[in-house]
Amino acid sequence: MAKNMGVAGAAASSELNVEKAVNALLKWRDSQSQAQKPQLLEQDEFLYLIVSLKKIPQKARVNPIKVPLPHPIIDDPAELCLFIDDRSKSGITKDAASKKIKSENIPINKVIKLSKLKTDYKPFEAKRKLCDSYDMFFADKRMIPLLPRLLGKQFFKKKKIPVPVDLKHNNWKEQIHNACSSAMLFLSSGTCCVVKVAKLSLEKKEIVENVIAAINGIAERVPSKWGNIRSFHLKLLDSLALPLFQAMPDLRLKILADADHHTSSKEEKQEVEEEEDDASHQKTKKKKKNKGRIHDVQYMDNQEHINYSNSEADRKHEINANISTKKKKTALKKLCPIDIKVKDKKKKKSLAA
């Protein structure tokens, strides 16, 4: 009972939040359009609903979940494409499919066979043009496992993955109409999903109704329903994400976490005290050992200092002696020629006499 009351309260509060968020985004868009330059081709912008889950889905789905909307996002003259399985087991041909489409006025613009998809749309450029040329794609339910390899990354990036259609039944028009008037939820291998829920060409009331229908529909289709929803946010392509709903944290987990924290804190204190005792014991041992070592080092340093000083004194004495001998030699060299000149003069005088 309390859980239902909580869900009802969340739904009531989300309606007010949705109206406020839509008004704020429209005002922001008007201010941005005034500042920007006018474009030749006006493109209709979409509003996106960001869904955050509490738990990652166990299995990632390739096929989207269809969430019905009161006001369709895709325009009435939309370009739609259908892939059919033309293998022998399927029992459907292109001529039969095109005849049924014309007779029942099904809004399909082009039919492409599986064999043609394998041959004609093998290059990357052909796949890119095919992705850009149509608004939405449909495919036979039996050939869905083959499409990711044949279509490539471009379809997955632009969220144009073909919607499966059961062509064995005769209600093709009903299936295609339901798919066009619903939002596509792609549950990936993460906790965050983005869904197109409205376009700016709709009125404010219609946008609010679409957003509320998407919130309720996603909460019912997601595993564990509201228990697995963490938050909803609404945004435009270039705007900030405005919060619509935020789940409260689980109190049980908090209490358990506190209890675990208390027990772990006691154990941590004991471990810290033991480590401190071990560290202090090791420090005292190191001090006792280091006393003799420090004395030895000081003694060795002193002895080395004495030896170093003695060796320096001897080197100085040798250098001074070498300098003195060099000076004496240079002095003798200078005196030798003077003495020779004096002797020559005495000889000349003696000869003259």
Side-chain angles (χ1 to χ4, degrees):
M1 185 71 182
K3 189 176 180 180
N4 294 329
M5 290 292 290
V7 172
S13 63
S14 66
E15 290 181 7
L16 297 172
N17 293 333
V18 166
E19 290 179 2
K20 291 178 182 178
V22 169
N23 290 328
L25 290 173
L26 291 176
K27 285 180 182 178
W28 179 84
R29 182 58 193 153
D30 292 337
S31 64
Q32 291 291 317
S33 61
Q34 290 175 3
Q36 291 176 357
K37 294 180 180 180
Q39 296 180 357
L40 293 172
L41 298 173
E42 292 185 359
Q43 294 181 353
D44 198 359
E45 291 191 30
F46 293 95
L47 276 87
Y48 300 90
L49 185 68
I50 302 172
V51 186
S52 297
L53 305 176
K54 293 180 181 177
K55 294 180 181 179
I56 298 171
Q58 293 181 356
K59 293 181 180 180
R61 288 178 55 122
V62 178
N63 301 329
I65 296 171
K66 289 180 277 188
V67 181
L69 298 175
H71 307 285
I73 301 170
I74 298 172
D75 298 326
D76 291 333
E79 295 289 328
L80 306 179
C81 180
L82 176 66
F83 298 123
I84 62 167
D85 188 2
D86 61 341
R87 291 177 292 184
S88 59
K89 293 181 181 179
S90 63
I92 297 173
T93 59
K94 186 178 178 180
D95 295 333
S98 58
K99 284 180 183 179
K100 186 170 185 177
I101 287 165
K102 286 180 181 179
S103 62
E104 296 182 6
N105 293 324
I106 299 170
I108 295 291
N109 302 97
K110 190 169 184 179
V111 178
I112 298 174
K113 298 185 291 184
L114 179 63
S115 58
K116 194 173 182 181
L117 188 65
K118 288 179 179 178
T119 56
D120 295 354
Y121 297 97
K122 199 171 185 179
F124 174 77
E125 192 65 25
K127 291 176 183 177
R128 188 183 64 79
K129 285 181 180 178
L130 178 65
C131 182
D132 294 335
S133 57
Y134 296 97
D135 297 320
M136 200 169 182
F137 294 89
F138 298 90
D140 193 351
K141 192 176 180 180
R142 291 164 288 186
M143 62 181 289
I144 289 291
L146 305 173
L147 291 178
R149 183 175 57 83
L150 297 174
L151 296 176
K153 296 180 181 178
Q154 200 70 17
F155 282 78
F156 289 89
K157 283 181 181 179
K158 294 191 175 182
K159 301 294 183 184
K160 287 189 176 181
I161 301 168
V163 180
V165 179
D166 192 359
L167 298 181
K168 289 181 180 180
H169 296 284
N170 294 322
N171 59 345
W172 290 13
K173 190 173 183 179
E174 186 181 351
Q175 293 182 54
I176 290 166
H177 178 72
N178 291 334
C180 290
S181 61
S182 59
M184 299 296 165
L185 173 64
F186 295 91
L187 285 178
S188 59
S189 58
T191 58
C192 189
C193 310
V194 182
V195 187
K196 287 181 186 178
V197 291
K199 54 185 178 181
L200 290 179
S201 60
L202 298 173
E203 296 182 358
K204 283 185 184 179
K205 288 182 180 179
E206 293 175 348
I207 292 170
V208 171
E209 288 173 1
N210 270 19
V211 174
I212 292 167
I215 289 170
N216 294 328
I218 290 166
E220 291 297 324
R221 298 296 301 275
V222 163
S224 302
K225 298 184 179 181
W226 279 100
N228 196 20
I229 300 293
R230 186 182 296 279
S231 65
F232 285 112
H233 289 77
L234 189 68
K235 73 183 292 289
L236 290 168
L237 185 64
D238 299 325
S239 71
L240 295 172
L242 302 179
L244 302 178
F245 171 77
Q246 184 71 43
M248 296 294 290
D250 196 353
L251 294 174
R252 278 191 239 160
L253 294 173
K254 190 176 180 183
I255 292 163
L256 289 169
D258 291 337
D260 294 336
H261 179 68
H262 285 306
T263 54
S264 62
S265 62
K266 289 180 182 178
E267 292 175 357
E268 285 176 358
K269 283 180 181 178
Q270 290 178 358
E271 289 177 358
V272 168
E273 288 176 357
E274 289 176 358
E275 287 177 358
E276 286 178 353
D277 294 335
D278 293 336
S280 61
H281 187 61
Q282 287 176 359
K283 283 180 181 178
T284 52
K285 283 184 177 179
K286 284 181 179 178
K287 284 179 181 178
K288 289 178 182 178
K289 290 179 180 178
N290 289 336
K291 281 182 181 179
R293 288 181 183 175
I294 290 164
H295 181 68
D296 295 340
V297 169
Q298 285 179 356
Y299 175 76
M300 289 169 72
D301 289 342
N302 291 331
Q303 189 66 29
E304 286 177 358
H305 181 68
I306 292 161
N307 294 331
Y308 181 70
S309 61
N310 292 331
S311 63
E312 277 190 348
D314 294 336
R315 283 176 187 172
K316 285 180 181 180
H317 182 69
E318 288 176 359
I319 289 162
N320 292 327
N322 291 328
I323 290 165
S324 61
T325 52
K326 284 179 181 179
K327 284 180 178 180
K328 287 177 182 179
K329 286 180 180 179
T330 52
L332 289 170
K333 285 179 181 178
K334 289 178 180 179
L335 290 170
C336 286
I338 294 167
D339 293 338
I340 292 163
K341 287 178 181 179
V342 171
K343 287 179 181 179
D344 291 338
K345 285 179 181 181
K346 286 181 180 179
K347 284 181 181 181
K348 287 177 180 180
K349 285 179 181 180
S350 64
L351 288 170

